[in-house]
């Protein structure tokens, strides 16, 4: 559990740093744009590796149950994660109505994904991991809004970007359902 917590602190700490604009600007001035990006990427990668390893170690040692989610929450998690995949793809797809509706689709994807996993998992490690990511995404959305970043502009009509988001998001979500037992160790259905 300690490694999971350390990974969360490092990963989310690095990502929270981007919301502290003066501190971020100071680091860019000190290390240069590329130096800052390299350091940010390295620290984020270390945090992510520790999170994954820590969560895997926690699961291998045995879950610490906090509550027993009803079966319907697991069924609700599946379409929510599908929507999260569409939002993730919309982040990188050409502009479209979905991206415009969501404004910051990556943050929306993280919030939906984390919330869905909180619904389906009632153990301490899951609550810690998914709750922390959800809290960070809410924090970051507030920070983005405070600095006046309106995100993706609204689109008058559906575009190729929307088709890409829905089709690729659906394929990615389906692939995750198929590989989840092998990669994560827990079957989705």
């Amino acid at each position: 559990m300690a490694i999971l917590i350390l990974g969360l602190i490092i990963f989310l700490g690095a990502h929270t740093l981007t919301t502290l604009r003066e501190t971020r600007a100071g680091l860019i001035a000190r290390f240069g744009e590329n130096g800052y990006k390299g350091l940010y990427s390295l620290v984020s990668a270390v945090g992510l590796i520790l999170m994954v390893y820590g969560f895997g170690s926690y699961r291998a040692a045995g879950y610490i149950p906090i509550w027993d989610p009803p079966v319907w929450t697991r069924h609700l998690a599946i379409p929510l994660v599908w929507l999260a995949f569409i939002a993730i793809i919309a982040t990188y797809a050409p502009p479209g109505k979905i991206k415009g509706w969501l404004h910051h689709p990556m943050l929306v994807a993280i919030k939906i994904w984390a919330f869905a996993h909180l619904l389906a998992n009632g153990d301490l490690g899951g609550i810690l991991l998914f709750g922390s990511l959800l809290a960070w995404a809410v924090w970051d959305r507030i920070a983005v809004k405070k600095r006046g970043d309106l995100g993706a502009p609204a689109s008058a009509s559906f575009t190729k970007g929307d088709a890409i988001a829905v089709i690729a998001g659906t394929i990615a979500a389906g692939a995750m359902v198929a590989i989840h037992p092998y990669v994560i160790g827990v079957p989705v259905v």
Side-chain angles (χ1 to χ4, degrees), residues 8-138:
L8 283 165
I9 290 168
I10 293 171
F11 184 81
L12 296 178
H15 282 75
T16 299
L17 177 69
T18 63
T19 67
L20 308 172
R21 299 317 258 186
E22 290 178 19
T23 304
R24 179 180 176 271
L27 290 170
I28 291 171
R30 182 174 180 187
F31 297 110
E33 183 80 25
N34 289 336
Y36 166 78
K37 286 180 179 179
L39 186 60
Y40 175 83
S41 298
L42 177 64
V43 171
S44 295
V46 167
L48 182 61
I49 289 166
L50 289 172
M51 280 172 33
V52 170
Y53 179 78
F55 191 69
S57 296
Y58 155 77
R59 285 189 24 230
Y63 289 95
I64 301 169
I66 301 298
W67 71 292
D68 191 22
V71 173
W72 67 266
T73 61
R74 293 185 185 112
H75 296 300
L76 179 58
I78 295 170
L80 288 174
V81 170
W82 171 65
L83 293 174
F85 271 99
I86 290 172
I88 288 169
I89 301 297
T91 301
Y92 302 104
K97 209 159 191 55
I98 294 171
K99 189 181 275 192
W101 279 337
L102 301 178
H103 297 294
H104 298 278
M106 180 60 78
L107 290 175
V108 172
I110 293 167
K111 288 189 282 189
I112 293 171
W113 174 84
F115 178 70
H117 282 79
L118 280 171
L119 285 176
N121 295 280
D123 63 285
L124 181 60
I127 292 168
L128 185 61
L129 175 63
F130 304 120
S132 296
L133 290 168
L134 177 59
W136 170 80
V138 169

